[in-house]
Amino acid sequence: TPPPSGDCRVAYTVNAWNSGLTASVSVTNTSSTPVNGWALAFTLPSGQSITSGWNATYSPSSGAVTARNVSYNATIAPNTSVDIGFQATHTGGTGRPSAFTLNGTACTVA
């Protein structure tokens, strides 16, 4: 279980086409202490399913998803960001998740 985290902000950008999309996600540590080991939880809109990702591991591929750090980006220093993303299929809905939590703490959505 990842340790508790401080404040965070998430920026989420979607680039969609016919039946696919990519999502770029920037997670910023807005607290004064580092986050060592992180898990970003969010719920994908209905009809979206992750097919591949980068800079994080994603599980499961649809519904309530958790993105976890990989070995080279486990620490998010204060006032810095980690950029992750994924490719997904969709059935017409290309919206973004409405809420994100970092190690169980709600993040501001930019």
Side-chain angles (χ1 to χ4, degrees):
T1 302
S5 68
D7 296 336
C8 54
R9 181 176 63 246
V10 173
Y12 189 96
T13 305
V14 174
N15 180 19
W17 62 92
N18 297 336
S19 62
L21 63 85
T22 57
S24 298
V25 186
S26 182
V27 183
T28 303
N29 176 4
T30 58
S31 75
S32 59
T33 58
V35 175
N36 294 308
W38 54 266
L40 182 71
F42 54 93
T43 300
L44 286 174
S46 179
Q48 293 184 14
S49 182
I50 296 172
T51 56
S52 62
W54 53 92
N55 296 338
T57 59
Y58 298 88
S59 179
S61 61
S62 61
V65 174
T66 300
R68 297 186 185 279
N69 66 269
V70 290
S71 61
Y72 55 83
N73 66 4
T75 299
I76 310 173
N79 299 310
T80 64
S81 303
V82 62
D83 294 321
I84 64 174
F86 58 87
Q87 184 165 340
T89 58
H90 68 83
T91 57
T94 60
R96 67 182 194 174
S98 59
F100 298 85
T101 59
L102 183 65
N103 295 353
T105 300
C107 296
T108 301
V109 180

